[in-house]
Amino acid sequence: ESRVSPQSPAQAATGAGTAVPITVAHGDGIGPEIMTACLSVLDAAGARIAPEPIEVGEAVYARGVSSGIGPDAWESLRRTRVFLKAPITTPQGGGVKSLNVTIRKTLGLFANVRPCTAYAPFVATRHPGMDVVIVRENEEDLYAGIEHRQTADVYQCLKLITRPGTERIVRYAFEYARAHGRRKVTCMTKDNIMKMTDGLFHGLFEEIGTHYPDIEREHLIVDIGAARLAERPERFDVVVTPNLYGDILSDIAAEVAGSVGLAGSANIGAHCAMFEAIHGSAPDIAGQDRANPSGLLLAAVQMLVHIGQGDVAERIHNAWLATLEDGIHTADVHRDGVSNRLVGTQDFARAVIGRLGLAPRTLRAASYAAAAKPIAVPLVSRPARPDKRFVGVDVFIDWRGTPDGLATAIRQVYGGALALTMITNRGVKVWPDGLPETFCTDHWRCRFMPAGTMAANPAQAAQMVGRLLAAGIDVVKTENLYLFDGKPGFSLGQGQ
Amino acid sequence: ESRVSPQSPAQAATGAGTAVPITVAHGDGIGPEIMTACLSVLDAAGARIAPEPIEVGEAVYARGVSSGIGPDAWESLRRTRVFLKAPITTPQGGGVKSLNVTIRKTLGLFANVRPCTAYAPFVATRHPGMDVVIVRENEEDLYAGIEHRQTADVYQCLKLITRPGTERIVRYAFEYARAHGRRKVTCMTKDNIMKMTDGLFHGLFEEIGTHYPDIEREHLIVDIGAARLAERPERFDVVVTPNLYGDILSDIAAEVAGSVGLAGSANIGAHCAMFEAIHGSAPDIAGQDRANPSGLLLAAVQMLVHIGQGDVAERIHNAWLATLEDGIHTADVHRDGVSNRLVGTQDFARAVIGRLGLAPRTLRAASYAAAAKPIAVPLVSRPARPDKRFVGVDVFIDWRGTPDGLATAIRQVYGGALALTMITNRGVKVWPDGLPETFCTDHWRCRFMPAGTMAANPAQAAQMVGRLLAAGIDVVKTENLYLFDGKPGFSLGQGQ
Ligand SMILES: NC(=O)c1ccc[n+]([C@@H]2O[C@H](COP(=O)([O-])OP(=O)(O)OC[C@H]3O[C@@H](n4cnc5c(N)ncnc54)[C@H](OP(=O)(O)O)[C@@H]3O)[C@@H](O)[C@H]2O)c1
Ligand SMILES: NC(=O)c1ccc[n+]([C@@H]2O[C@H](COP(=O)([O-])OP(=O)(O)OC[C@H]3O[C@@H](n4cnc5c(N)ncnc54)[C@H](OP(=O)(O)O)[C@@H]3O)[C@@H](O)[C@H]2O)c1
């Protein structure tokens, strides 16, 4: 079963002419000046919005609020559900938390959408034909931030990939492609190595993709995929990936498009959405009317599409393209021979306003007609629960010695329902039949499975752990082993 | 304490004129022809080697050996400890294991070293000044391959970063830089997110780097680092990274150098080393005398340096550069206007042989004088064991319901020495004081810490798990929490 979430109040309020309340943060550094420029364009273009300013960032951190955001701001965000955010300055060090991570996680902004486009010949780029959108999963993967150190040698971080999280981002990518008239979605994972986690992502991509026969799909291993994106970005259209890869890929895409000052991004959730430029607060040029407001403006264009004002989004986007074409450029993209006029932040905004109603002549015009209906944020299906059966446990032990010594020690103190079948160190099987060349840390994974033909249960595993601990064997973690509908929910040891 | 490993028999045998036994695999597809070409150059240049052929790859897989390598081959490898390997064809699907992963893990080849150089104007490239060496950790990280599924929704892969593994690769990178006259080592991690695992890598990089004051060091967050490598590779020299990032970065570097057919790589271990081209067996052009043997030849150059025959390595490398400069090119790099003669595989080798003793005129000549002494493979220091103290446990539970419901259920059945302090879902705190917007899977992490002021112990944690299980609460894994020398060995929940 797959449904569509109820529209946000913002979405419901459109059509008519009612102003949609949106939360606005003017930010730090160049933030206030680019926000002023941006709102002046939105106003002139007839955006039906009612901005509510909130304070986040430097001033809030300075008051000792470690998250950089106070209760009033949360209240506004949770009411308007739409956030247009200028860049903020994150104080260095000292217990401060990333505002973006906090907002993303707290509001469940599962998708990060970043269009990276080249504007040749008006902006210098090595890749004139490039027009890529990176759709990055935003909440899980290694970024769940669950880390443990349990021995002197070894530190661990959990990579979590979930079925509902993956399903949602993949569906969103296909819905996005369809709404924006795009033809291909490329998925990138490393599922030749991570067969279960990345395998899930790739598998759901193929499965869900069959419901979008109008969209071509391809999968690339992320190493060669990143290399191709760096060297031949023209061959990509929409790219969907897990969080970490997406982080790397979206920076590559923005960099090779040659337009870090020209790109905006959307963070989409089931209930809320946040829109911002991809650059930071650039304190070195703050207050000088030199900053390019384009990244924030393009983020605002995405916001307008999101709240169902595609008509206004299209007017602004096309006027902005016409401004670029006319060679009216801020310092960051100004080039002799290409540019006609060097302008400051506010003059650039005025130039865009002066072109509202015009379309670009050379660059491809933006068209948001298809997106008049906002993209449905897919709720997740909950398939029937699989049959889950306990078949053993991996017990991790802090131990300085040889694999054979550890096996002997274990078997001296425990001989119950579960039997030691394998020991690995950093994933490589070292018992039985290890090789002397294998380097071993103090972190050993001991796999136990039922000794006889009787089924085992988790309680026996807990008992065994108790016995090992009582004998001074330093168990630091456990991972149960299950079959799901008869299929193993665990990988084999390398060399097993 | 930091020592240097005993020299391999290969290293000990040099100087004199004694032939060093090396294991050679002719491989599949274009493998045999490029190996023939390569060995003919080594022979003509006076390499003091005694090749021992072994069979690996397609033919061995076809005999039903799932690892692609038989006992005789292992015997040779473990005796010679030096492996020159042509590419092999990995059969598609069906229980076959990657030969490279098996060899790397079994022989403990901890470092993957891949020089990526541009040869402008003789080979087309967008980045004429590029000359980067990627030194990638090769054994741990997510590639330990430890994956578990323990609920319907959630799949997990363990990322393991170890102190000895990190120390070794970082030291190797600095030793490599020094031996090859390089000036800077750049470390790339994502330690703003993964503060413990990537934090360890970055921290050891800074610590070890202070012992190499002659080498500049810098650290970049891997997302922006990958973007810079893609767009401005000229600014990098040696790059050292954990396994996954290194996998991505080395493919980017090879691709933007424009020379996938021209790059070789070394896999270095404490006991053994393997040298190969970075490309595969290119079955489409096999047997046609069209393949470029350069990647394998440059790998062999690295091998000669490794076994202490820097003089021969230098002769070959410079003759090869001179051949490129003379416009004698195989089809893959041939360009009208730049190339003078289109040659096949064996003619290219003959052209290199004809130039032994010559140096390039425009390209920078190779010099391995400094490396006459092979790079010491650093053994790891084992610092004094830190004081480790148990302070709680994270218990992961498969549960369908609300966070409050789970907290209530737990507290109804357990009220012992440990108290429930926090519940997170995908790393986000959902109890106490969660937000209704947070999407929850069926995978809950419950953090327990001592209820009173008394110290707790792991046995109490095991007992608690037993109690939860007995009450039907489905505990699927545990992670103990420790202080190391008073410092927490675990991360806080997001929002905690
Ligand atoms: N989402 C966010 O709020 C966000 C994102 C990233 C960083 N930050 C924060 O921003 C602060 C500064 O970070 P940073 O210096 O690394 O990155 P940055 O603010 O993006 O600035 C880097 C450089 O890019 C140029 N630049 C960026 N935006 C520009 C614009 N709109 N117009 C013209 N030039 C622009 C400037 O270069 P020139 O020197 O060449 O003029 C600037 O010095 C930090 O406190 C960081 O934490 C916030
Ligand atoms: N270490 C290894 O042994 C290794 C590494 C990678 C892949 N493989 C295996 O190799 C097989 C083929 O993989 P693949 O097609 O993905 O990659 P590939 O063998 O590297 O070949 C890809 C293409 O690159 C070109 N190429 C590669 N090496 C060349 C050379 N020396 N001279 C001229 N052109 C060269 C050819 O392009 P044109 O068509 O333009 O001529 C070839 O079709 C697979 O079975 C794979 O598993 C083995």
Side-chain angles (χ1 to χ4, degrees):
Chain A
E1 152 222 23
S2 154
R3 295 152 299 162
V4 158
S5 66
Q7 290 197 330
S8 73
Q11 290 169 349
T14 46
T18 335
V20 177
I22 62 166
T23 301
V24 168
H26 287 259
D28 303 318
I30 58 172
E33 52 202 295
I34 61 174
M35 184 59 87
T36 301
C38 179
L39 290 178
S40 72
V41 176
L42 265 64
D43 189 42
R48 300 174 293 279
I49 55 169
E52 281 191 20
I54 60 167
E55 201 185 36
V56 296
E58 244 178 341
V60 183
Y61 283 121
R63 285 204 299 273
V65 181
S66 74
S67 60
I69 175 168
D72 288 3
W74 278 122
E75 194 279 320
S76 169
L77 281 176
R78 296 178 68 189
R79 186 162 32 74
T80 70
R81 302 182 175 188
V82 182
F83 188 16
L84 181 63
K85 175 177 164 288
I88 63 143
T89 301
T90 313
Q92 291 294 313
V96 150
K97 279 178 194 157
S98 155
L99 178 66
N100 273 21
V101 175
T102 301
I103 291 181
R104 234 185 254 159
K105 290 228 155 186
T106 309
L107 299 183
L109 307 181
F110 66 88
N112 185 285
V113 181
R114 186 187 284 193
C116 295
T117 310
Y119 302 101
F122 308 102
V123 178
T125 171
R126 288 190 227 267
H127 304 287
M130 173 172 187
D131 184 16
V132 179
V133 180
I134 310 283
V135 178
R136 162 187 171 196
E137 197 289 314
N138 220 7
E139 294 185 287
E140 49 193 46
D141 196 351
L142 291 151
Y143 292 36
I146 307 177
E147 293 189 285
H148 294 89
R149 177 189 185 189
Q150 295 164 331
T151 74
D153 285 349
V154 179
Y155 296 65
Q156 170 193 284
C157 184
L158 298 187
K159 167 172 167 146
L160 301 180
I161 302 287
T162 80
R163 170 177 274 275
T166 302
E167 197 178 320
R168 187 137 68 175
I169 192 71
V170 169
R171 266 187 214 281
Y172 188 84
F174 281 107
E175 289 290 334
Y176 181 95
R178 199 176 260 178
H180 289 82
R182 291 184 170 259
R183 297 171 173 280
K184 183 169 78 169
V185 179
T186 303
C187 174
M188 296 196 199
T189 71
K190 187 78 194 176
D191 68 337
N192 54 337
I193 299 286
M194 285 164 272
K195 295 189 163 66
M196 294 180 56
T197 47
D198 284 9
L200 175 70
F201 199 98
H202 182 187
L204 284 173
F205 172 75
E206 299 295 346
E207 194 179 311
I208 291 167
T210 59
H211 298 117
Y212 298 84
D214 46 322
I215 314 276
E216 188 193 338
R217 64 179 189 276
E218 70 173 345
H219 175 268
L220 290 179
I221 297 296
V222 64
D223 46 18
I224 188 66
R228 295 260 168 83
L229 184 66
E231 186 64 10
R232 277 170 281 164
E234 304 80 3
R235 73 182 286 292
F236 294 97
D237 194 345
V238 174
V239 176
V240 64
T241 71
N243 205 339
L244 172 68
Y245 310 141
D247 196 1
I248 296 173
L249 294 169
S250 56
D251 271 20
I252 293 174
E255 184 94 7
V256 303
S259 59
V260 172
L262 302 184
S265 78
N267 288 271
I268 306 285
H271 309 287
C272 308
M274 172 169 83
F275 302 86
E276 61 178 347
I278 69 168
H279 60 74
S281 58
D284 54 328
I285 56 167
Q288 301 172 26
D289 192 44
R290 282 175 54 198
N292 189 340
S294 299
L296 187 59
L297 190 63
L298 291 181
V301 165
Q302 288 191 65
M303 177 190 77
L304 290 170
V305 175
H306 178 79
I307 62 175
Q309 300 185 16
D311 53 339
V312 188
E314 191 172 310
R315 270 165 65 82
I316 295 175
H317 201 154
N318 285 327
W320 178 81
L321 289 167
T323 309
L324 270 196
E325 278 189 348
D326 286 348
I328 300 181
H329 292 162
T330 47
D332 55 316
V333 294
H334 189 275
R335 292 286 176 287
D336 290 333
V338 177
S339 307
N340 287 320
R341 194 147 64 90
L342 174 64
V343 292
T345 311
Q346 306 308 327
D347 268 349
F348 183 82
R350 279 187 278 271
V352 175
I353 291 170
R355 283 165 183 76
L356 286 166
L358 299 184
R361 283 175 302 263
T362 312
L363 297 170
R364 198 162 54 107
S367 159
Y368 295 113
K373 193 166 73 46
I375 295 177
V377 170
L379 292 190
V380 296
S381 67
R382 288 310 259 287
R385 289 181 79 161
D387 173 63
K388 174 174 149 183
R389 199 148 65 78
F390 177 88
V391 291
V393 62
D394 282 347
V395 174
F396 291 71
I397 293 171
D398 183 348
W399 165 269
R400 298 214 161 186
T402 64
D404 290 346
L406 178 57
T408 306
I410 288 170
R411 297 207 286 191
Q412 269 165 5
V413 302
Y414 176 77
L418 296 163
L420 180 65
T421 62
M422 168 181 85
I423 303 178
T424 70
N425 197 294
R426 298 194 300 177
V428 179
K429 193 191 71 175
V430 292
W431 183 92
D433 309 322
L435 285 186
E437 283 88 352
T438 308
F439 173 80
C440 291
T441 67
D442 59 11
H443 187 257
W444 308 80
R445 185 256 304 257
C446 302
R447 176 157 289 178
F448 291 86
M449 301 191 87
T453 52
M454 298 263 292
N457 61 57
Q460 291 165 335
Q463 275 160 29
M464 174 184 65
V465 169
R467 286 265 282 285
L468 297 176
L469 287 168
I473 294 176
D474 187 9
V475 175
V476 297
K477 63 170 283 187
T478 65
E479 302 275 359
N480 286 358
L481 310 177
Y482 298 95
L483 299 183
F484 287 86
D485 291 333
K487 252 186 74 186
F490 50 90
S491 54
L492 298 179
Q494 181 69 34
Q496 194 189 11
Chain B
E1 150 222 25
S2 154
R3 296 151 299 163
V4 157
S5 67
Q7 291 197 329
S8 73
Q11 290 167 348
T14 47
T18 334
V20 176
I22 62 166
T23 302
V24 167
H26 287 261
D28 303 318
I30 59 172
E33 52 201 293
I34 62 175
M35 184 58 87
T36 302
C38 178
L39 290 178
S40 73
V41 176
L42 265 65
D43 190 43
R48 301 174 291 281
I49 56 170
E52 282 191 18
I54 60 168
E55 200 184 37
V56 295
E58 243 178 343
V60 182
Y61 284 120
R63 285 204 298 273
V65 181
S66 74
S67 61
I69 176 169
D72 288 3
W74 278 122
E75 194 281 318
S76 169
L77 280 176
R78 297 179 66 189
R79 183 161 33 73
T80 71
R81 302 181 175 188
V82 181
F83 187 17
L84 183 64
K85 175 177 164 289
I88 63 142
T89 301
T90 314
Q92 291 295 313
V96 151
K97 280 179 195 155
S98 155
L99 177 67
N100 273 24
V101 175
T102 302
I103 290 180
R104 234 186 254 159
K105 289 226 152 188
T106 309
L107 299 181
L109 307 181
F110 66 88
N112 185 285
V113 181
R114 187 188 283 193
C116 295
T117 310
Y119 302 102
F122 308 103
V123 178
T125 172
R126 287 189 229 265
H127 304 287
M130 172 172 188
D131 184 16
V132 178
V133 180
I134 310 284
V135 178
R136 163 187 169 194
E137 196 288 317
N138 220 6
E139 294 186 287
E140 48 193 46
D141 196 353
L142 290 153
Y143 292 37
I146 307 177
E147 294 189 284
H148 294 89
R149 176 190 186 188
Q150 295 164 331
T151 72
D153 285 348
V154 179
Y155 296 66
Q156 170 194 283
C157 184
L158 297 187
K159 166 170 168 149
L160 301 179
I161 301 287
T162 81
R163 170 176 273 277
T166 302
E167 196 178 320
R168 185 135 71 177
I169 192 71
V170 169
R171 267 188 212 283
Y172 188 84
F174 280 107
E175 289 291 334
Y176 181 96
R178 197 176 262 177
H180 289 81
R182 291 184 171 258
R183 297 173 175 278
K184 183 170 77 169
V185 180
T186 303
C187 174
M188 296 196 200
T189 71
K190 187 79 196 174
D191 69 338
N192 54 337
I193 300 285
M194 285 165 271
K195 296 189 161 67
M196 295 180 57
T197 47
D198 284 9
L200 175 71
F201 199 99
H202 182 188
L204 284 172
F205 172 75
E206 299 296 346
E207 193 180 312
I208 291 166
T210 59
H211 299 118
Y212 297 84
D214 47 323
I215 314 274
E216 185 192 339
R217 65 179 188 279
E218 70 172 347
H219 176 267
L220 290 179
I221 298 294
V222 64
D223 45 19
I224 189 67
R228 294 260 167 82
L229 183 67
E231 187 62 11
R232 278 171 280 164
E234 305 80 2
R235 74 182 286 291
F236 295 99
D237 194 345
V238 175
V239 175
V240 64
T241 71
N243 205 339
L244 172 67
Y245 310 141
D247 195 1
I248 295 173
L249 293 168
S250 57
D251 271 21
I252 293 174
E255 184 95 7
V256 302
S259 59
V260 172
L262 303 183
S265 80
N267 288 270
I268 306 285
H271 310 286
C272 308
M274 172 169 82
F275 302 87
E276 61 177 348
I278 68 167
H279 59 73
S281 58
D284 53 329
I285 56 168
Q288 300 172 29
D289 192 45
R290 283 175 54 198
N292 190 339
S294 298
L296 187 59
L297 189 63
L298 291 181
V301 164
Q302 289 190 65
M303 176 189 78
L304 291 169
V305 175
H306 178 79
I307 63 175
Q309 299 183 19
D311 54 339
V312 189
E314 191 172 311
R315 272 164 65 79
I316 295 175
H317 201 154
N318 285 327
W320 177 81
L321 289 166
T323 309
L324 270 197
E325 279 190 346
D326 286 349
I328 300 180
H329 293 162
T330 46
D332 55 316
V333 295
H334 189 275
R335 294 286 177 287
D336 290 332
V338 177
S339 308
N340 287 319
R341 195 149 62 91
L342 174 64
V343 292
T345 311
Q346 306 308 326
D347 268 349
F348 182 82
R350 279 187 279 269
V352 175
I353 291 169
R355 283 164 183 77
L356 286 166
L358 299 185
R361 284 174 302 262
T362 312
L363 297 170
R364 197 162 54 108
S367 159
Y368 296 112
K373 190 165 77 46
I375 296 178
V377 171
L379 291 192
V380 295
S381 67
R382 286 315 254 286
R385 288 180 81 162
D387 172 62
K388 173 176 148 182
R389 199 150 64 81
F390 177 87
V391 291
V393 61
D394 283 345
V395 174
F396 291 72
I397 292 171
D398 182 349
W399 166 269
R400 299 215 159 185
T402 64
D404 289 347
L406 178 57
T408 305
I410 288 171
R411 298 207 285 190
Q412 268 167 6
V413 302
Y414 177 76
L418 297 163
L420 180 65
T421 61
M422 168 182 82
I423 303 178
T424 70
N425 198 295
R426 297 194 302 178
V428 180
K429 193 190 71 171
V430 291
W431 182 93
D433 309 322
L435 284 187
E437 283 89 353
T438 309
F439 174 80
C440 291
T441 67
D442 58 10
H443 188 258
W444 308 81
R445 184 256 303 258
C446 302
R447 176 157 289 178
F448 291 86
M449 302 192 85
T453 52
M454 299 264 290
N457 62 56
Q460 291 165 333
Q463 274 159 28
M464 175 185 63
V465 169
R467 285 265 281 286
L468 297 177
L469 287 168
I473 294 175
D474 187 7
V475 174
V476 297
K477 63 169 284 186
T478 65
E479 302 275 359
N480 286 357
L481 310 177
Y482 298 95
L483 299 183
F484 287 87
D485 292 332
K487 251 187 74 186
F490 50 91
S491 53
L492 297 181
Q494 180 71 32
Q496 193 188 13

